[in-house]
Amino acid sequence: MKKLIQTLALGVTALGTSLSGVSAEEWRLNNFLPETRPETAEIEQFVKDVNATVEGDFELKLYSGGSLGLPNTDTLRFLPKGAVEMSLMWANYLGRDAPALSSVVVQGTIGSIDEFEKAIPAVQEIYEEEFADWDVTSVGYVAIPMLSVSVFCRDEPVRTIEDLKSKKLRVWARDQVETFTRLGVAAQIIPQEEMYVAMKTGVVDCALYPALYAHTVSLQEVASHAAFLYPMASGPYVIGVATDRWEETDENIKSAITKAADDLWNRTNQYEDDQAREMEAREKLAEQGVTWAEDFSDADRELFVSSVTETWAMLAEEAGGNAPAYRERVLKALGR
């Protein structure tokens, strides 16, 4: 399956060839996150640290916001083929090619920082094993904050699952579609870059999104109301390099990348200020016209978590292969 998919990626490889007319000592880091995201600022620092440490003629260049035209869902196709030297990856975007990855951490199943910190080592270990099967080496991680996910709506406040059943909801991952479908809510995946127009034109009435990042996509311009639904822990972003390229890389360069990656992880793997940043983000959005309704009730949130738990088991079983075992490893780390 893996080899077939990589063979089918010849079109992407051709793009990679056209992009690769550069010195072997220049590496491009493909970052699908917008330049406005705080994680991008951390990745920029990572690039600076690498370039400052490497001795010799080498430069790592960052290309953010998908500016290289490489779809984040295709990373396992283009990275091993050399379309780019290094790329940010997020497991939840890669479920089409590697189904087991999308069920390692289903968003909404981990509800506290304490649980999240227990799960992280197991999740990283699983990612390294799975990416290795795709000839990709995990050389670094970027932690994702413990986010608070809210329901942003265009015309009227929605703060109950019952009311949400009459709305069209934008989500960003299949597990969310499955979870909300179980709850009787019509949910559809709309890419981040298309969400603004979808909200503005009424393709969807509401959108699931973290308040912390809402300003980066100007969500406050098309959503007048919001209400908090659930806390969300996600597996970290992974910085990957094709395994054959990594094995052939000069030890001086590898050492610089590894050191900078360790520093990047240590900077981002901090969650103490997440709640304060969330409340600050809500205040700023309120100043820009978003009216915050009361949070979804405890009963609704318990109903949501119950649905997520069922979705997690279903997705792992459906993915087959290593997915059920991965889920059990994470559950064991959580002490469940």
Side-chain angles (χ1 to χ4, degrees):
M1 177 67 174
K2 178 190 74 174
K3 294 302 182 184
L4 175 59
I5 289 175
Q6 291 179 347
T7 300
L8 293 173
L10 290 177
V12 175
T13 303
L15 171 62
T17 301
S18 67
L19 291 173
S20 297
V22 296
S23 166
E25 295 300 312
E26 178 182 293
W27 280 26
R28 292 147 303 157
L29 169 50
N30 173 58
N31 170 32
F32 56 80
L33 296 172
E35 292 183 353
T36 51
R37 285 282 286 266
E39 293 97 330
T40 296
E42 296 292 353
I43 297 169
E44 289 173 350
Q45 184 61 52
F46 162 75
V47 171
K48 291 178 182 177
D49 290 346
V50 171
N51 289 333
T53 304
V54 173
E55 299 175 0
D57 185 16
F58 174 87
E59 183 177 12
L60 178 61
K61 289 187 176 181
L62 179 63
Y63 295 83
S64 298
S67 57
L68 290 178
L70 300 169
N72 51 38
T73 53
D74 290 347
T75 309
L76 295 178
R77 304 185 182 204
F78 66 70
L79 189 55
K81 290 291 185 178
V84 70
E85 290 76 23
M86 181 182 284
S87 184
L88 193 71
M89 306 183 292
W90 193 41
N92 292 58
Y93 286 156
L94 305 175
R96 178 196 59 201
D97 293 340
L101 279 175
S102 62
S103 59
V104 175
V105 180
V106 172
Q107 301 160 76
T109 57
I110 298 175
S112 72
I113 292 173
D114 287 343
E115 277 197 325
F116 190 32
E117 290 179 335
K118 291 178 184 176
I120 285 174
V123 171
Q124 288 177 311
E125 186 177 73
I126 290 169
Y127 284 174
E128 289 177 9
E129 294 172 11
E130 187 72 15
F131 287 129
D133 285 343
W134 286 86
D135 300 324
V136 171
T137 296
S138 306
V139 300
Y141 297 92
V142 185
I144 299 175
M146 186 76 179
L147 298 173
S148 296
V149 178
S150 296
V151 176
F152 287 82
C153 295
R154 190 178 66 166
D155 299 322
E156 58 184 8
V158 172
R159 58 166 302 272
T160 69
I161 289 176
E162 188 61 36
D163 287 345
L164 198 54
K165 291 178 181 179
S166 64
K167 305 298 181 184
K168 295 172 291 185
L169 177 68
R170 175 267 176 182
V171 298
W172 65 80
R174 186 198 162 196
D175 58 89
Q176 295 169 326
V177 173
E178 297 290 346
T179 294
F180 282 103
T181 298
R182 290 174 184 274
L183 295 171
V185 177
Q188 59 180 302
I189 297 173
I190 294 178
Q192 178 173 270
E193 61 271 18
E194 299 174 16
M195 180 173 59
Y196 183 98
V197 173
M199 286 281 286
K200 189 174 183 64
T201 59
V203 173
V204 290
D205 306 298
C206 304
L208 211 62
Y209 211 75
L212 185 64
Y213 297 146
H215 71 283
T216 68
V217 290
S218 302
L219 189 54
Q220 74 277 6
E221 296 179 7
V222 289
S224 300
H225 305 274
F228 167 71
L229 176 55
Y230 68 95
M232 184 190 82
S234 297
Y237 296 117
V238 180
I239 297 175
V241 177
T243 298
D244 57 356
R245 176 178 289 275
W246 185 247
E247 291 175 348
E248 296 168 359
T249 298
D250 180 84
E251 289 299 325
N252 176 43
I253 296 173
K254 291 170 73 171
S255 177
I257 290 172
T258 299
K259 173 62 169 61
D262 288 343
D263 292 342
L264 172 62
W265 175 247
N266 290 333
R267 288 197 307 272
T268 58
N269 188 31
Q270 307 291 332
Y271 310 97
E272 295 81 4
D273 298 330
D274 288 352
Q275 184 60 29
R277 290 194 295 163
E278 165 69 14
M279 299 314 295
E280 182 181 352
R282 292 189 197 183
E283 289 178 8
K284 288 182 178 178
L285 290 170
E287 293 171 359
Q288 295 173 315
V290 177
T291 300
W292 285 90
E294 291 184 26
D295 297 348
F296 279 69
S297 68
D298 289 343
D300 269 355
R301 282 185 284 187
E302 288 174 7
L303 186 61
F304 175 81
V305 171
S306 175
S307 180
V308 169
T309 301
E310 293 178 13
T311 296
W312 191 11
M314 181 272 289
L315 290 177
E317 186 66 28
E318 179 185 281
N322 293 325
Y326 289 162
R327 178 173 178 269
E328 289 302 317
R329 285 165 64 178
V330 175
L331 285 171
K332 182 178 180 181
L334 291 169
R336 295 183 188 174

